[in-house]
Amino acid sequence: MDSMRLSDMREGQRATIVRIGGSGPLRRRILEMGILKGTEIRVEKYAPLRDPLEIVVKGSHLSLRVEEAAQITVEKVR
Amino acid sequence: MNAPVKRLTIALAGNPNSGKTTIFNNLTGTRQKVGNWPGVTVEKKEGVIQRDGYELKIVDLPGTYSLTPFSIEEIVARDFVLEAHPDVVIDIIDASNLDRSLYLATQVRELDCKVLFALNMADVARSRGIKIDAQKLSELLEVPVVFTVGNKHEGIDALIAEAITLSERGAAATPSRKVKYSKDIEAAIGALRDFMAARSDLALPYEPRWTAIKLLEDDKIVTSRVLEKTGAFGAEILAETARLRSHLMDRFDDDPEILMTDERYGFIAGIIKEVVTTSTRQRVDISRNIDLVLTNRFFGFPIFFFFIWAMFQLTFTLGAYPMEWLDAGVGWIAQGFSALLPDGLLKDLVLDGVIAGVGSIIVFLPNILILFFFIALFEDTGYMARAAFLMDRIMHLIGLHGKSFIPMLMGFGCNVPAIMAARALESEKDRKLTILITPFMSCSAKLPVYIILAGAFFGPRAGTVIFAIYLSGILVSIVTGRLMRSTLLRGADAPFVMELPPYRVPMLKSLMIHMWDRSKIFLRKMGGIILAGAVIIWFLTAFPRHIDYTTDYTAAAEQVGAAFNERMLAAAPEARAALEAERRTALDKIETAREAERTEKSYIGRIGRFLEPVFAPIGISWRGGVALLTGFVAKEIVISTLGVLHAVDSADEGDALQRALHRTGMTPLSALSMMVFVLLYLPCLATIAAIRRETGSLRWTFFSIAYSTSLAWVAAFGVWQGGRLLGFS
């Protein structure tokens, strides 16, 4: 399948969240912001220094660091 | 006869950027009080209004996405609802961001309190093709819902009316429809609740079902409070909780708190399906288009630096005019007092202590007002989040959040507003670290010190030396940041999961309230501490009153005066003007010599002498030591004290002081050592007042002072001793 890390996605690509790794508060905070398994997201852009990145979840724009995005496994939507 | 006023407390809860502050401002207008929540540095806003015979205290809870106790803000918000029992909690729901708003809303509803929803910004949602059935939402969650448009003042009165009605309704406010979790989790919640209920003599601190949920979520705060209340039985509750938790973990291969977060969102998805109708009409996302430019890979940084540059420029150039007026005003007041008061101690105290001290701080007010206006502008438009987005990569190297950049940059201008600007940071650790390292950004008041010292000893290379000093400050802040992150302020820096809210046109009223609130704090609190500090320094410099001078300056002055008088009589009329000037110079010389000796023998001079052994190993003379001590009030004073101690006439300070410094044995190396010391040592009084105020902790303030000063000494020691070892002088 097209499983990959969120941090490996390119600008403009869409994906569905498959798994959120990591542990503790960070993981829960990601979930609480509405980044959940099965949610569709779009990578809006990377910051000029390639970190952090901006994603669109259910119409709202969120930013997270590349190291945080690396914990999130997604499946690309074509 | 007046009926007794009924008092109600209404708390406002909601996500950041949900329009909560706008509604709060609309409700309370200028009748609001800004302070800190007890013991923490989270801004607390409240306001009292009269409505329909009620006195309503409106409390603005910190904006949060959740009520799980990760951040101070969340703890503060939850504790207020749990412990202070507000009569009504109004949860503000951002209609254009329903999922996340409802996530907080379901958590607020789980608490044992009366809840009312304000469905805010439904107009924005409608324009995006989202239609919300408020009636249905109200029925599904059994919570009254009121439509509001905060920035147009719509629905605000209805909201308050509804809150009053709700408060009058009977006690049974907890809705019967709860978030329904899945079978296994509900079973665990039920089991734990029954387990605790079996001991009916126990007074649980909170509502039983909620307590069970929080225990299963491994909520540290609730756990410890339950333990406090249940005594010996507490251990059994813990054991049962652990058993149920591990059962759930085995079953689902995930932590219960994660499962519950997931299920809450599942519950919300169900509600949304029923109350929201989305039309396919997709409008152009204006915010997105703005961001195509403002966070663009190529234009993002230049535009950001332009904005920062503009803010900096306007703060200090535009502020310079009112600053001059204020300065003139202070001078005018001083003159007034000078004429009014008879010569003597009181006059000295008022003029040199109070007016000079407070006057030197009050002149910063225009700067502070302008600066806070811009910061409010950045925050209210939504640009602050973009600035953090751009800068995070760089700031993360120091273990800081992208938003720390603004306070640190402001530090180059003046540390006082810079430290106050650290309020924009959400995490308390980030804020403390930012506050600790901001003083290493060499502020503009230190520049005159560098200019005099580097100018005197490094000639054409002065510019390079000053630049190196600034650079060293930045370097020290980076090292400090990394050091603190791995020691005192350890712990993962706040996750960067941050919302980039849609851009909004700021409202002037809100900007003004923002700006004025923060400036008020500056005026009130700074005033007190500054006043006390200035008076103390004045006392140390002005006392003891009677000094045994080595020379009889008064007699010398009389002699000179008499001699000139004779010459004046003898001189031709056209030579008299030159003679008069000569006389004045001679008299001034005696006066400065007297002032030098007086300062040397004053308490502060004696302290300087006493501290000589401390300053000797870093190559700074006792005069330098005293100057550094007086620099505690404001860094500019270092130069004027040096002038006084070297008996330099204030009229031709610069050059004469530089020559005098050479004469008293200062060398390039000791000048460098002194510059390094000035760069790093204890911040000025106003800054310390700001640190105290913003960290809310005396210990942290003292730590900051001790850390910077010992660091300064060690660094200066390294420069002086190392330089000498290498053969420099």
Side-chain angles (χ1 to χ4, degrees), chain A residues 1-9 15-22 30 35-39 41 68-76:
Chain A
M1 283 298 284
D2 270 343
S3 253
M4 63 194 293
R5 295 186 306 177
L6 174 56
S7 55
D8 291 333
M9 290 191 33
T16 310
I17 309 275
V18 175
R19 207 180 77 84
I20 294 159
I30 289 176
I35 307 174
L36 302 152
K37 202 171 119 180
T39 313
I41 58 133
E68 291 155 7
Q71 310 267 11
I72 299 173
T73 315
V74 296
E75 205 164 87
K76 222 194 305 181

Side-chain angles (χ1 to χ4, degrees), chain B residues 229-260:
Chain B
K229 292 272 181 181
T230 53
F233 187 56
E236 285 175 53
I237 295 178
L238 277 197
E240 180 65 9
T241 306
R243 194 184 67 76
L244 290 165
R245 268 178 66 83
S246 74
H247 170 73
L248 288 175
M249 274 192 264
D250 286 346
R251 179 90 174 69
F252 295 99
D253 197 25
D254 218 333
D255 297 332
E257 57 268 31
I258 301 285
L259 297 172
M260 287 194 236

Side-chain angles (χ1 to χ4, degrees), chain A residues 11 26-29 31-32 34 36 44-45 48 50-52 54 58 60-63 65 67-68, chain B residues 66 68 74 99-100 103 217 254 258 262 265 288 291 295 297 389 392 396 495-498 500:
Chain A
E11 283 178 10
L26 171 62
R27 176 151 178 248
R28 196 162 175 203
R29 178 42 48 105
L31 290 169
E32 287 184 337
L36 302 152
E44 174 72 25
K45 70 167 62 134
R50 312 297 297 160
D51 187 7
E54 178 182 349
K58 292 177 188 147
S60 78
H61 295 239
L62 301 176
S63 95
R65 289 193 177 124
E67 55 182 295
E68 291 155 7
Chain B
S66 158
T68 34
E74 288 164 345
D99 289 76
R100 235 185 4 248
Y103 184 76
E217 283 187 330
D254 218 333
I258 301 285
D262 221 31
Y265 263 110
R288 199 177 157 222
D291 265 342
T295 58
R297 182 169 308 160
F389 180 71
D392 187 67
H396 194 40
F496 195 65
V497 191
M498 177 186 72
L500 295 166

Side-chain angles (χ1 to χ4, degrees), chain B residues 510-521:
Chain B
S510 154
L511 290 177
M512 289 300 166
I513 290 177
H514 246 99
M515 176 179 91
W516 181 238
D517 276 348
R518 293 172 178 182
S519 307
K520 223 164 47 186
I521 293 170

Side-chain angles (χ1 to χ4, degrees), chain B residues 330 333-334 337 346-362 527 530-536 538-539:
Chain B
V330 170
I333 292 170
F337 274 104
L346 181 67
K347 185 174 180 175
D348 284 1
L349 172 66
V350 170
L351 287 183
D352 301 341
V354 177
I355 295 181
V358 174
S360 68
I361 305 300
I362 200 95
I530 298 296
L531 187 63
V535 169
I536 291 171
W538 168 80
F539 172 81

